């Protein structure tokens, strides 16, 4: 009985904190950035489940940095929440705040959400030279969700990135890696190597990319990949 009472006490405390949070966010757009940030950040670590309508309230915040904070830190999304989040992200892929769009794409990857594939690819065309990583976010989504039903569109879009100087070299590297993983053709590795030799910052980008789970030995022949690039002996603070 004592343990049951303790649990009930914890539940009551959580309910009070949840109600307090819901009350505070009604006026969150009128608060200073630090006050709003602290309220959202603190709540995300309280292990308190919000219902879908309350999540919708947060997604409507004017300050999209706060929305991004919530999506990054809150971990209690259930199946129904995820279904709505897919709709929300699809509805906001053309949002005027391109930094917000980029954040949504990376969040979709983290939660393995099913986003409109062709619309994601269209962002690569419509946001060329965007400085808020929309193109990189779209490429990252495609890289982690290769759908062979769209294989023609994938190759066409990735080749466009590779063959145009309008795209940043980091974007060209990721597009080349995507095509190499699909086709296993060394022509894409040759282009990657050219980019690595052109700018040491590209080496850092690829090094960080290869640390991701999808590129570990269990899923990707990383040894052969590095051998083809002749980079196994690369010596710097960011070693392969």
């Amino acid at each position: 009985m004592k343990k049951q009472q303790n649990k009930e006490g914890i539940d009551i405390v959580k309910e009070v904190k949840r109600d307090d949070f819901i009350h505070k966010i009604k006026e969150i757009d009128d608060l200073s950035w630090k006050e709003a940030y602290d309220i959202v950040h603190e709540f995300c670590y309280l292990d308190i489940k919000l219902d879908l309508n309350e999540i919708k309230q947060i997604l409507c915040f004017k300050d999209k940095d706060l929305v991004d904070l919530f999506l990054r830190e809150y971990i209690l999304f259930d199946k129904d929440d995820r279904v709505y989040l897919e709709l929300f992200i699809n509805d906001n892929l053309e949002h005027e705040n391109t930094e917000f769009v980029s954040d949504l794409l990376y969040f979709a990857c983290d939660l393995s959400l099913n986003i409109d594939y062709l619309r994601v690819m269209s962002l690569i065309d419509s946001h060329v030279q965007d400085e808020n990583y929309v193109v990189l976010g779209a490429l990252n989504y495609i890289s982690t969700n290769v759908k062979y039903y769209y294989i023609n569109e994938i190759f066409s879009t990735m080749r466009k990135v590779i063959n145009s100087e309008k795209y940043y070299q980091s974007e060209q590297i990721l597009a080349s890696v995507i095509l190499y993983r699909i086709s296993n053709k060394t022509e894409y590795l040759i282009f990657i190597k050219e980019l690595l030799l052109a700018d040491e910052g590209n080496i850092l980008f690829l090094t960080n990319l290869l640390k991701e789970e999808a590129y570990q030995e269990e899923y990707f022949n990383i040894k052969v990949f590095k051998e083809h690039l002749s980079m196994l002996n690369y010596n710097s603070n960011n070693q392969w």
Side-chain angles (χ1 to χ4, degrees):
M1 285 296 296
K2 187 175 181 180
K3 288 185 178 179
Q4 181 63 28
Q5 290 174 349
N6 287 342
K7 183 179 183 302
E8 290 175 354
I10 292 173
D11 290 341
I12 291 173
V13 171
K14 284 188 174 183
E15 190 65 26
V16 170
K17 289 184 176 180
R18 177 175 169 277
D19 291 343
D20 181 58
F21 175 72
I22 298 304
H23 175 73
K24 288 178 179 178
I25 65 173
K26 290 179 180 179
E27 300 179 351
I28 203 158
D29 289 325
D30 298 325
L31 301 177
S32 70
W33 161 250
K34 186 179 187 308
E35 289 175 316
Y37 176 93
D38 289 343
I39 288 171
V40 175
H41 187 268
E42 179 182 348
F43 180 82
C44 288
Y45 287 87
L46 293 179
D47 191 35
I48 298 175
K49 180 73 178 75
L50 294 172
D51 66 35
L52 182 54
N53 285 330
E54 292 160 350
I55 291 173
K56 289 179 180 180
Q57 277 187 265
I58 297 173
L59 296 179
C60 290
F61 287 170
K62 292 180 181 178
D63 191 329
K64 297 311 177 186
D65 287 340
L66 293 176
V67 178
D68 175 52
L69 170 66
F70 175 73
L71 293 177
R72 282 189 289 109
E73 303 298 339
Y74 184 76
I75 61 173
L76 299 178
F77 296 114
D78 60 25
K79 183 178 180 181
D80 290 338
D81 299 336
R82 289 171 183 247
V83 170
Y84 180 77
L85 287 170
E86 290 178 346
L87 296 173
F88 175 79
I89 293 175
N90 280 321
D91 286 344
N92 283 275
L93 288 178
E94 282 82 33
H95 196 281
E96 61 182 11
N97 184 336
T98 56
E99 185 175 359
F100 180 54
V101 175
S102 175
D103 292 337
L104 291 178
L105 290 169
Y106 281 100
F107 174 73
C109 286
D110 292 340
L111 261 65
S112 299
L113 300 180
N114 187 25
I115 308 305
D116 188 316
Y117 210 71
L118 293 180
R119 289 180 66 196
V120 171
M121 278 197 282
S122 73
L123 295 175
I124 296 172
D125 281 331
S126 61
H127 288 74
V128 59
Q129 296 184 320
D130 177 83
E131 295 181 355
N132 287 325
Y133 305 105
V134 171
V135 171
L136 207 56
L139 289 169
N140 183 65
Y141 183 82
I142 293 170
S143 176
T144 55
N145 299 275
V146 175
K147 295 185 177 182
Y148 287 90
Y149 180 82
Y150 298 107
I151 193 68
N152 290 333
E153 290 86 350
I154 292 173
F155 266 79
S156 175
T157 302
M158 297 306 109
R159 284 171 174 159
K160 186 179 298 183
V161 173
I162 291 171
N163 293 324
S164 174
E165 294 183 356
K166 292 182 179 180
Y167 289 94
Y168 297 112
Q169 291 183 356
S170 57
E171 296 164 352
Q172 292 181 315
I173 288 174
L174 183 49
S176 300
V177 171
I178 292 170
L179 292 184
Y180 172 72
R181 293 194 72 176
I182 296 173
S183 69
N184 205 35
K185 291 183 177 180
T186 57
E187 63 184 89
Y188 302 115
L189 294 180
I190 293 171
F191 183 60
I192 292 173
K193 186 172 182 178
E194 290 176 0
L195 294 176
L196 297 181
L197 294 173
D199 188 335
E200 188 167 324
N202 293 333
I203 298 176
L204 178 60
F205 173 80
L206 183 59
T207 299
N208 290 332
L209 178 67
L210 296 179
K211 291 178 181 178
E212 296 179 5
E213 184 177 2
Y215 298 100
Q216 302 311 301
E217 290 186 9
E218 185 176 355
Y219 315 108
F220 183 65
N221 196 336
I222 188 67
K223 183 177 180 181
V224 171
F225 181 81
K226 292 177 182 179
E227 286 175 345
H228 276 301
L229 293 178
S230 301
M231 297 297 292
L232 284 176
N233 294 322
Y234 172 67
N235 187 17
S236 79
N237 292 329
N238 297 289
Q239 296 183 357
W240 293 83

